Every structure is written in C-alpha cells, then in structure tokens.
Amino acid sequence: MRNPVFFKSNGGNQYFFETNKKLLHYCSDSLKEIIETNGKEFIQKNFNNSQKENYDFELYNNMKAQGYFIQQKRVNNDVLITRNHILDAISNINQLTFETTEKCNLNCKYCSYGNLYNDYSKRTNKDMSFDSAKVIIDYFKEFWDNKANKSINGLIFISFYGGEPLINFNFIKNTVDYIKSLNIKRQIQFSITTNAILINKYIDFLVENNFNILISIDGDKTNNSYRTFSNGKHSFDKLRKNIINIKEKYPIYFEKRVNFNSVIHNRNSVAEVHDYIAVEFGKTSNISEIRSTGIHPEKLNEFKRLFNSVNKSLNESNNKESIINDNFIKLSTIENLALFLHKYGGYNYQDYSNIKEKTIPLQKTPSGTCVPFSKKVFITVNGLLLPCENVDHKYHLGKIVLGKVEINLEEIVSFYKRKFAKLKNKCDKCYLNEACALCMYNMDIDLDGDFICKSSVGLEAFKKYLSAQISKIEESPYLYERVMKNVSIE
Amino acid sequence: MKQILVVEPSVHICVNDNNEVLFYNTYNYNFLYYKDSNIVKIARTLLSENNNYVIYLQNKNTKIEKKFIDELIANNMGFVHSLKNTMRKPIQLYPISAVQKSSELNDEDYSILIRKNILKHLNEATVYFNRVKSGVNNHILHKQFVYPILDENNSEIELTIENIIHFFESIKYSSLKNINIVGSNLLNFNGFSSLVSYLSSFNANKRYFLRLSEIVFDNFMRIKEINPEDTTIVLTIFADSELNELERAIISLQNLNLNFQFRCAVASEMEAVFFKELFTRYKISNYHIIPYLDNTNFRFFCKNVFLTFEEVLELQNSMINIHTNEHINPLFFGKICLMPDNSVRSDIHSENPIGYNDDNFVIQEALYIALSTENSWRLTRNKVESCKDCVARNICTPISNYEIMLQKYKICEQQ
C-alpha cells in the first residue's frame, strides 16, 4: 500500500494522505519532491535550496521523527466474529423491529418488495402474531435485566415495520400493552414506519404511547406519484390530509415526533422535496435513493429510468447551500463526508474512553458488515430473526420454534467466518477499508454462494475518493468544522 | 497570484480574551506565545470555520504581522504560498477534537448516549480495604498518592473478604485493566489468601501496595502466595527507615521471584538524594521518587511538584495528549475506589459516593453518576476558574491529586 498517497483537488491544489497515521496535508511541489525522494533531492541541491525547500525539508524530518512516511505492510485491524462478540451483542441489544405484516395498502413503483427486485422472500400477505412477539420480548427481556448488559436504563427501540404496519394494528396494540405491563427497567421508545394512509384512525394511540412516526412521502402530488394504491390511483391527497390533521390536532407532538422519509427518483428532486416539506409542513425530510442492489435483470432498464442520485440531484439545486444547512445530517453527501472525516480526519473520538486509550485503533469486521445483533434484530412475520430488514430471509440468524427462540451461536460464527474469509482478501487490498459502509448482505453472490465485493478500491480510485471529499470542503470550507462537531457516526 | 498563509495541522492554537495567543507545534514542541491584539486577530481568522488554517495575506501587512509570519516559518509551523487566481483556496484539516459522546451535547442526548455500553468506561478499581488510626503528619498521605488511609479522627474499620469479592463480582463484565489493593498491613489481612486466589481469575494487572515496614519475619513468606505473572508489588519506602534494615529488606526481596516496584516517598532534597544513591548502589532501576507534603516542606514540595508557566510551555505534548487534556482528566478517568466503609467513589477525594457495595449495588448506575456529574473524571483545566482562560491550559499537566488536596489549581503560581 502506497504511503503517502498524493492527489489533487478539483480546485487545483495538491495534498497528500499519510495512510498509517491518517493525516491529510496540503502539499507544495517541493514537499512532494522531498517526500518522494526521502529527502535525497534536497540534500543533492544543498546550497542552492530555497527558503521553501529548507522549510519543507525540516517539516519532512519533523514528521519522520514522529513516525510518518514509514513504508510498511498495512496492519489490518479487521477482526473475525466470535461467539463472545455475538453473546455480547445479544446481551446489549437495543432495537427490536417487528415485520408487523406483509400486507400493504399501496403499490409503490420502486418498492423493495415489488417487481423491480428479485432478491427477497416471496410475500404471502401474512400478519405477525402477537404470540411470536411475546416469545421474542420474553427472550430479550432476560438480557435487558442481566448483569452482562453493559448499559444502564438504556433506550430500547421497539419498532413496527411492514408492509404497512397499521394494517395489523391489533398486533401493535397488544405488543405495546404487553411491553408496558412488564415493567422493564429501560427507557422504551416505540417507533413506526408508515405510509400514513390509515394513520387518522390510530393517531390517538400512537400519540398516547409517544411513538416516533416516520412517514414516507416523496414531495408534492407529482413528486409523490409513484406511491399509488393498487388500483393505480394517487395516494397523495389522502396522505396530505392525514398529515395536516396530525399537525393541527397534535402540533407539539408533530413537531417533536413526526418525521418524513423521501425517496429521490425521476419524478422529483432534492430541491423539490426540500421546498415542499418545508413550506407545507415546516420540516425537513430524510432523503434516500431507490435501492440499487438485487434488481431483476429484466427490470434493469426500468430501474435506470427511475433512479436518480441524491448527490447529482443536490448538485443541480439552485439552493444547494440552504438545503445542506437545513438538512445537514440527513443528506447522504454529508453522511459520506462525515464517514470520510471520522475515519481519515485523524481526530475523531467515539467517546471519552476512546480519547483516553489514544493508540488503540478502532476494530472492525471485514467489509462494512456489522456484528450480528449489534445494531438491531428484525423479526419477520414467519418468526425468523435477521440482522436487519434489508437482509434476505434465507440468512436468518435464529428463529422461533415451538414457542421458543433458537439461536445457534456456533452456526452463526462459522457462517460469518466462511463469508469473511473470502471478503478479507479483498478488504486487505482495499484502500477504503476503514471507511467501508458496504454490508456483505447487499453484495452480489458468486457461484459458490459467497458474497463478492465489486467495490474494492485501488490506488487511483482512492485518489479520486480523497479528491472528491477534499473538494467538497474547499468548495464549502465550513463543512469541516460543522461535520466534526455536529455529525456522529456509530 | 495571491499570497496565502498555510499553518500546519500539527499546530495547536489557543487564544483568550486577554489578547494572548499560543501556537504550539506538536511535531518539534516549539511554541510561540504572544500578547498582541494583532496576532490574536490573525489567530482567530485562522481558526474561523471558513478558513481552516489557511488565510489570504494582504500586501499591507504590518511589521508585527511580518515578524509573526517569519517566526511561524522559523518554527516550522506555517508557510506563505502563492496561489494562481484560477485555483481555490486550499484547506488544512486542522486539529478539531470531536468526541461524539461528549458532555458538550445537550443533557438529554448525552444522557442517552452514555447509557449505552457504559461498562466500557471502567478501567481501574482500587480497593482501600481498611482505615487505621495514625499520627497528625500521616493523615493526608493517601490524598497525595495511592497509600493506606491513615486517619487521626475517625475510628478504625476494615472491609471483609466477602465485601471485596462482592464488589469485584459486580464489576467483572467491565473493561477492567488494573486492580489496586491498598491498605495497612495487607499481609496480615484476614482474607489475604482468599483475595489473592480470587483475583487470580481476573484478566487484569494487579498491584498490591505494601509499606516496607509492614514486611516482617512472621509474614515474609506470605508474599510468595502472589502470582508474579500479572501482579506487581508496589513497595512504599520512607527515608526514616533504619538504613541497615532497608538494605537487608531490599536484598531479601530482590531474591524473590516477584515483580517489585519501589516507591520512595520523600519530603526533602536530601531524602531524594539518599534514595538515588541507595538504588544506584544496588543497581536497581525499577524505583521512582514521589515528593509528599508534610507540615514543614511546602517550598520543597512546590518546587518538585509544580511547574512554572515557562516549564509548562516546554512540555512535550502530542496532539492527542492535548485533546485528552481538553476533555478528560486522564489521571482519574475510568477509575473507581471501594472505600473501607464499603462506599464506592470516583476518586479518593470525592465526598459523595457513586454507590454502595451492598446487594442493591449496580455498577452501571454508579458509572452513570460518575460520567454525568462533576467529579475528577472530567476535571480539566478548562473547568477551573484559575486556569480556564490560560492559553496553555491544554498543554499543561492534568490536575493532580496534590492540587485537589490543596484546592489550588494554578500550578504555575504555586512556586
């Protein structure tokens, strides 16, 4: 692995990135020459050296004395998952997401469970039973009350996902009532992701139980026109009426607990979504893209027609600066910059313990895949336990069998070991390893059924990546301080 | 062509409202200190969020500014570059310390964030297993360094081995790296063998604190019960020991296959010289000298414990050190004490316990109190009135036991 890596920004400036110590540095031509020749070029010139060259030579020597520019084989801190990692994650789990129902009252064009994709388990319009939820809650409650739980009165998220979860409202009500009856020594936060078509009927219950509500809306009527009922009719008018009703009936709750998610496609833009949500509801929306993995080969052209990149759309906006300011941490462009700065900026600390440890590098698993159960567990209508809602059901980590949760730790360890073993080779050579956000479950699969990373980054691609990130800051210098101080990455 | 001043990301800049500014280079440890409003203005411009350590230079620079720039260059802290008109102004990713789960967040967010995985913050536990009566001069030693609690007023008390085991059972899922056992006459403690045996199952460094005077013929062999692999015996020695006894004891201990660290507590220059000569004679290098305050030696104590402002500026700090000093007190953070009265405290000085080691003790709750209330864990110079405006506050040494004991924090004014 090259060290350092020199690159140029779009603004025409030269920088280097020191790969061992993770330092980005503005770099003059003379400094580059000194680094590239290990100072020999400077020594040869000797008496003819300019003040700048003398300065750069001293800087180079100072940095060398501090351990910079050492050419060594990259130390890969990737760790494999052990039984203890999983036990630890289960003991400290803080989000249960229930696939409340497979049913949906809309038929959105770009739905991850629609005909654009071929990588999901077949939908059978099944509802989740309360009995299954009870088994899951009883199982995890033991861990929340256990000494091995490393948190204190931590926040536990109980989330309802679909299909459209409000179609199975009885399940939601029974589950909420049951959790409340258990007197769990944790703060419980309920949340729901909904298309809000049925929300008027149930809003009193959701408000009473302080639900976080995430409503899907893609902008105004035209922008939202891919979100239709199964008969093809637009859902927008009903949706808008329902949102306005919540806003009028529960204004404080609306301000605090109701949020929006908007998918960018060829019938809207970041600017249109931003302006509509701001004017109509006085809020900002999370902005996301249509899923670009698992596309049905026959639908590739249709996908290409629908797809619109958030970055591209944002760059085309006339009011880009104000959109960035308003939506700061909700934009993927800021998220990418934050990931870059947190991994390569050099001075980001997770918490006070991290700052005290100083030299211990952050350990991660190969690729950007998380330790199973470390973020959440997603429970399907069929009682399967998945690492999250974006994972194919065939990769379940456990299941409910005869009223009990079965999780085979050895099987999980062995599965991840096999999958990581293949990925690790690529990760070892990838310049972007530390900042990888790619989950293996979103990768393509080879003939052996193993995940294959097609995004391994070589030197030239890494230079482009560094250049793109630094160029963003050159263009809007305030982004550096704001991201460092305001955006956190788990 | 435009002229730009580019400061190196290795430079820590600190300004205050008294027109003072410090530029400190973490690569060569050079520093520039100014008390000048013009330089402070430049420093503030360099630090502004739209500049990121890079500013355009005007041709009308004053003599003072020109001199400043020359000094920056001479100390390898920054350089003047020419920039083509077509190019954007470059940036430096200057050293912002971003602690994601920081108390600078609003109370609600901080409270939620620190609750998660709170056990990771516990790294060191010190058990003071007894409190014994003592004379006037000794009663403040444990406030100065790790030492048995000797008390002239309160009654004598002692923890039971059950108390101690209960405490360690409560914290065993934490990230414990160091265990200290401190008390008077440890070798005669009733539960000594059980304690040594119990602690051997802990994957942590153990340190047993003894005083040389406590090791006598009757208990000498008990030391051998200690497993030398992950345990150090810290032996505190005072210069008032009988020289012959001292020499004989050191030789005997040296012959044991155990890890010893000799800690020489000194109240004067003469005592320090005495120990240096003694250990040189026996070719022993694993010793260190700790000054302590008694009722007679304030001048010696200040000279050897505190630093002048100039000495502070000469300290060699990395950028991570500076960031650590900005946010936490590394001498105290992550450490708790079990006291002889069975209370659990964030440090030896604190009056309010963070918990009691009884059946209701939950270590997570105790750590939450330690992290969310004002105590030594986050006692930085930014937080004390006498230091918070000083431009050297983040390169200075962390607030120490001595300062907390004396309630005097401006170490540069103590001499």
Side-chain angles (χ1 to χ4, degrees):
Chain A
M1 194 153 281
R2 189 77 58 88
N3 185 29
V5 173
F6 295 95
F7 66 96
K8 279 197 169 172
S9 69
N10 296 343
N13 296 303
Q14 184 167 253
Y15 297 85
F16 69 78
F17 176 64
E18 214 283 351
T19 55
N20 291 331
K21 291 221 164 198
K22 310 276 178 291
L23 176 87
L24 265 150
H25 200 291
Y26 175 62
C27 183
S28 62
D29 287 339
S30 64
L31 180 59
K32 184 181 181 210
E33 197 176 330
I34 289 169
I35 295 170
E36 282 182 327
T37 61
N38 294 327
K40 283 175 196 155
E41 199 65 26
F42 174 87
I43 294 161
Q44 276 166 11
K45 285 183 188 169
N46 206 356
F47 294 112
N48 296 324
N49 296 322
S50 67
Q51 185 192 23
K52 176 74 180 110
E53 285 169 325
N54 283 325
Y55 177 89
D56 284 339
F57 188 62
E58 190 184 341
L59 178 63
Y60 168 76
N61 282 326
N62 281 336
M63 294 185 79
K64 270 204 101 168
Q66 293 288 337
Y68 288 87
F69 309 130
I70 294 171
Q71 300 294 328
Q72 60 182 27
K73 203 175 169 212
R74 184 167 134 222
V75 180
N76 192 336
N77 296 310
D78 287 354
V79 291
L80 297 180
I81 288 169
T82 64
R83 185 188 156 87
N84 281 348
H85 284 127
I86 303 170
L87 266 179
D88 191 56
I90 291 176
S91 301
N92 292 284
I93 199 148
N94 65 352
Q95 180 165 11
L96 306 183
T97 302
F98 293 105
E99 187 186 34
T100 310
T101 179
E102 290 181 337
K103 293 172 192 159
C104 190
N105 43 13
L106 293 185
N107 185 23
C108 304
K109 188 88 173 167
Y110 52 75
C111 177
S112 288
Y113 300 126
N115 60 14
L116 213 51
Y117 301 95
N118 67 352
D119 65 340
Y120 59 91
S121 301
K122 199 173 179 326
R123 311 274 92 187
T124 56
N125 278 342
K126 203 171 170 183
D127 286 336
M128 185 163 213
S129 76
F130 169 63
D131 286 345
S132 297
K134 190 170 172 299
V135 169
I136 291 287
I137 292 161
D138 289 346
Y139 178 81
F140 284 105
K141 182 185 176 296
E142 293 295 313
F143 292 102
W144 294 329
D145 291 342
N146 193 303
K147 271 189 176 178
N149 192 304
K150 293 180 176 170
S151 306
I152 167 73
N153 293 337
L155 204 53
I156 305 274
F157 290 92
I158 305 290
S159 310
F160 300 94
Y161 194 81
E164 167 47 41
L166 288 174
I167 290 176
N168 190 9
F169 177 74
N170 279 344
F171 168 84
I172 297 174
K173 186 176 182 313
N174 289 337
T175 306
V176 169
D177 288 345
Y178 181 64
I179 287 174
K180 282 162 71 179
S181 75
L182 291 175
N183 193 24
I184 296 166
K185 291 177 198 153
R186 305 269 145 190
Q187 298 177 53
I188 303 290
Q189 177 63 58
F190 297 108
S191 67
I192 188 166
T193 305
T194 174
N195 59 31
I197 298 299
L198 298 171
I199 204 160
N200 268 1
K201 202 171 164 188
Y202 305 116
I203 188 65
D204 295 343
F205 173 85
L206 299 177
V207 172
E208 190 184 316
N209 289 288
N210 208 27
F211 267 69
N212 281 339
I213 303 176
L214 184 64
I215 296 175
S216 307
I217 180 169
D218 292 352
D220 66 16
K221 191 163 186 172
T222 310
N223 301 149
N224 198 61
S225 57
Y226 282 135
R227 303 187 61 81
T228 58
F229 291 103
S230 45
N231 61 10
K233 281 191 174 174
H234 287 192
S235 63
F236 180 79
D237 292 338
K238 175 85 176 158
L239 170 61
R240 178 175 172 272
K241 192 178 152 198
N242 286 352
I243 298 171
I244 289 172
N245 180 52
I246 305 173
K247 193 182 173 192
E248 286 175 353
K249 196 172 175 187
Y250 297 108
I252 297 167
Y253 178 85
F254 181 83
E255 175 61 32
K256 201 171 174 194
R257 296 281 171 204
V258 176
N259 286 296
F260 298 104
N261 185 62
S262 309
V263 176
I264 299 302
H265 44 67
N266 65 342
R267 287 186 183 171
N268 64 6
S269 66
V270 172
E272 284 171 332
V273 169
H274 170 265
D275 294 349
Y276 174 74
I277 303 276
V279 171
E280 183 84 70
F281 306 121
K283 294 210 142 206
T284 57
S285 183
N286 296 323
I287 306 284
S288 53
E289 289 175 351
I290 298 177
R291 181 156 75 94
S292 56
T293 55
I295 297 149
H296 197 295
E298 290 172 13
K299 299 286 178 182
L300 204 55
N301 285 336
E302 192 175 353
F303 168 80
K304 283 179 183 168
R305 188 173 61 79
L306 293 177
F307 186 83
N308 188 3
S309 138
V310 171
N311 273 348
K312 183 168 163 276
S313 180
L314 179 66
N315 286 330
E316 288 166 358
S317 313
N318 292 328
N319 51 345
K320 184 181 167 187
E321 291 275 305
S322 74
I323 295 173
I324 289 178
N325 278 333
D326 292 349
N327 293 44
F328 199 62
I329 56 174
K330 295 179 180 174
L331 288 169
S332 54
T333 179
I334 298 299
E335 216 176 283
N336 290 338
L337 182 62
L339 188 62
F340 161 74
L341 289 175
H342 286 184
K343 300 294 180 186
Y344 299 123
Y347 300 111
N348 179 64
Y349 310 95
Q350 290 286 314
D351 53 36
Y352 292 130
S353 288
N354 188 218
I355 200 171
K356 192 185 168 204
E357 296 296 328
K358 290 175 188 171
T359 52
I360 294 180
L362 202 62
Q363 290 191 322
K364 62 179 268 300
T365 52
S367 73
T369 312
C370 55
V371 174
F373 301 108
S374 62
K375 299 249 167 91
K376 63 162 79 166
V377 59
F378 181 75
I379 304 106
T380 72
V381 290
N382 296 312
L384 302 177
L385 278 65
L386 301 171
C388 81
E389 60 274 20
N390 298 323
V391 174
D392 193 314
H393 293 194
K394 71 182 174 194
Y395 297 120
H396 60 266
L397 303 167
K399 56 188 170 188
I400 301 170
V401 181
L402 300 171
K404 282 189 175 171
V405 172
E406 275 187 5
I407 296 172
N408 187 327
L409 295 181
E410 275 66 33
E411 264 182 28
I412 300 174
V413 169
S414 148
F415 174 80
Y416 275 79
K417 198 174 171 183
R418 280 199 316 273
K419 300 299 174 192
F420 281 168
K422 283 213 168 175
L423 287 174
K424 202 172 179 300
N425 293 332
K426 281 239 170 171
C427 292
D428 286 348
K429 291 173 195 142
C430 176
Y431 274 84
L432 210 51
N433 184 12
E434 286 92 344
C436 181
L438 201 59
C439 170
M440 69 177 182
Y441 292 111
N442 290 329
M443 294 175 187
D444 288 338
I445 293 166
D446 66 12
L447 292 173
D448 299 328
D450 289 318
F451 300 113
I452 41 168
C453 177
K454 290 183 175 170
S455 308
S456 186
V457 171
L459 181 60
E460 289 311 311
F462 187 56
K463 284 181 183 178
K464 276 186 190 163
Y465 168 78
L466 293 171
S467 173
Q469 302 304 327
I470 285 293
S471 300
K472 270 186 218 170
I473 305 176
E474 279 186 358
E475 203 179 310
S476 313
Y478 62 89
L479 285 178
Y480 173 55
E481 191 173 314
R482 284 201 209 168
V483 166
M484 288 297 279
K485 289 187 173 169
N486 301 318
V487 184
S488 80
I489 298 269
E490 276 267 0
Chain B
M1 294 284 254
K2 293 173 190 169
Q3 297 286 300
I4 51 167
L5 171 66
V6 181
V7 172
E8 304 300 339
S10 59
V11 178
H12 163 70
I13 304 178
C14 191
V15 286
N16 68 15
D17 292 337
N18 305 325
N19 276 334
E20 289 176 290
V21 57
L22 176 72
F23 293 82
Y24 179 90
N25 192 343
T26 56
Y27 286 165
N28 58 13
Y29 312 118
N30 289 356
F31 64 89
L32 294 168
Y33 166 78
Y34 299 95
K35 190 159 183 159
D36 184 301
S37 58
N38 292 308
I39 312 295
V40 165
K41 200 174 160 195
I42 298 175
R44 288 196 195 279
T45 315
L46 283 163
L47 285 165
S48 93
E49 72 168 14
N50 277 316
N51 288 324
N52 297 317
Y53 272 25
V54 183
I55 53 172
Y56 287 115
L57 291 175
Q58 312 297 329
N59 289 328
K60 54 186 180 187
N61 279 348
T62 63
K63 266 187 183 174
I64 294 171
E65 287 165 356
K66 278 181 184 156
K67 184 169 173 280
F68 159 66
I69 290 169
D70 285 345
E71 284 175 335
L72 270 188
I73 293 169
N75 286 284
N76 214 233
M77 293 187 187
F79 204 86
V80 176
H81 297 255
S82 299
L83 195 69
K84 285 181 196 158
N85 289 331
T86 53
M87 290 161 79
R88 268 190 200 279
K89 193 174 75 164
I91 52 125
Q92 289 282 40
L93 295 188
Y94 72 100
I96 297 174
S97 64
V99 181
Q100 294 190 16
K101 296 179 187 176
S102 146
S103 59
E104 286 162 27
L105 296 164
N106 66 55
D107 288 348
E108 193 185 339
D109 286 349
Y110 177 64
S111 161
I112 290 169
L113 286 171
I114 58 168
R115 286 168 193 274
K116 192 177 173 191
N117 203 3
I118 201 163
L119 278 188
K120 72 176 281 199
H121 297 292
L122 177 56
N123 307 130
E124 183 170 312
T126 302
V127 173
Y128 291 90
F129 66 86
N130 63 10
R131 180 178 72 205
V132 297
K133 287 228 174 210
S134 171
V136 180
N137 280 349
N138 290 330
H139 74 283
I140 50 167
L141 286 177
H142 69 278
K143 301 260 183 186
Q144 300 182 51
F145 49 84
V146 182
Y147 193 74
I149 301 175
L150 309 175
D151 199 314
E152 57 177 330
N153 298 318
N154 288 314
S155 57
E156 299 197 346
I157 45 172
E158 187 165 277
L159 293 170
T160 63
I161 181 66
E162 288 77 21
N163 293 145
I164 299 173
I165 289 176
H166 180 270
F167 174 67
F168 281 110
E169 282 296 299
S170 308
I171 63 175
K172 70 179 179 187
Y173 292 105
S174 66
S175 306
L176 204 58
K177 292 190 186 84
N178 298 309
I179 293 171
N180 300 324
I181 305 294
V182 191
S184 196
N185 270 320
L186 173 62
L187 297 175
N188 291 340
F189 174 55
N190 264 341
F192 178 75
S193 301
S194 310
L195 181 64
V196 170
S197 157
Y198 171 77
L199 288 182
S200 66
S201 64
F202 270 78
N203 185 21
N205 300 313
K206 282 140 246 169
R207 293 193 298 173
Y208 292 91
F209 286 76
L210 298 175
R211 288 174 294 173
L212 190 63
S213 56
E214 292 167 359
I215 304 173
V216 291
F217 182 76
D218 290 349
N219 62 23
F220 185 74
M221 294 314 285
R222 296 200 78 182
I223 296 185
K224 284 194 152 183
E225 291 177 33
I226 296 169
N227 174 8
E229 279 178 15
D230 56 359
T231 307
T232 305
I233 297 167
V234 181
L235 209 57
T236 307
I237 313 171
F238 288 85
D240 57 7
S241 315
E242 187 93 16
L243 185 60
N244 286 344
E245 286 292 314
L246 188 59
E247 293 194 13
R248 198 178 316 134
I250 289 171
I251 293 165
S252 308
L253 293 170
Q254 283 284 95
N255 291 332
L256 294 175
N257 182 26
L258 291 169
N259 295 320
F260 279 100
Q261 196 181 76
F262 295 98
R263 205 170 54 156
C264 312
V266 299
S268 67
E269 290 288 354
M270 214 168 66
E271 290 180 3
V273 171
F274 164 77
F275 279 120
K276 275 180 198 161
E277 285 175 1
L278 178 73
F279 283 101
T280 308
R281 198 177 329 137
Y282 286 100
K283 294 180 181 160
I284 294 171
S285 57
N286 59 336
Y287 76 97
H288 58 275
I289 289 172
I290 308 179
Y292 68 91
L293 179 69
D294 62 17
N295 288 339
T296 61
N297 67 343
F298 195 67
R299 185 174 285 183
F300 159 80
F301 179 78
C302 288
K303 188 181 165 202
N304 286 282
V305 170
F306 297 135
L307 303 170
T308 62
F309 182 68
E310 289 69 30
E311 285 169 332
V312 169
L313 296 179
E314 296 287 344
L315 291 170
Q316 298 196 348
N317 273 292
S318 67
M319 195 57 81
I320 295 179
N321 259 351
I322 292 171
H323 290 162
T324 307
N325 291 340
E326 197 180 323
H327 295 280
I328 60 167
N329 187 318
L331 300 178
F332 294 102
F333 191 89
K335 301 176 180 180
I336 59 170
C337 312
L338 175 64
M339 305 300 285
D341 64 359
N342 217 17
S343 66
V344 180
R345 294 173 196 250
S346 57
D347 61 86
I348 193 80
H349 307 279
S350 71
E351 288 175 7
N352 301 319
I354 54 173
Y356 278 96
N357 178 36
D358 54 21
D359 289 344
N360 298 321
F361 179 61
V362 179
I363 181 62
Q364 290 91 333
E365 283 173 8
L367 293 176
Y368 180 74
I369 295 170
L371 278 163
S372 58
T373 55
E374 290 301 322
N375 60 57
S376 56
W377 283 29
R378 285 187 284 121
L379 182 61
T380 59
R381 299 204 180 274
N382 297 306
K383 296 218 175 99
V384 295
E385 200 56 39
S386 50
C387 298
K388 70 184 173 70
D389 294 324
C390 175
V391 288
R393 62 187 182 270
N394 292 326
I395 60 167
C396 193
T397 54
I399 290 173
S400 64
N401 273 316
Y402 299 118
E403 292 169 77
I404 300 176
M405 178 187 71
L406 294 169
Q407 292 288 298
K408 286 178 182 169
Y409 298 109
K410 199 161 185 180
I411 60 170
C412 51
E413 278 188 359
Q414 302 303 321
Q415 292 207 34

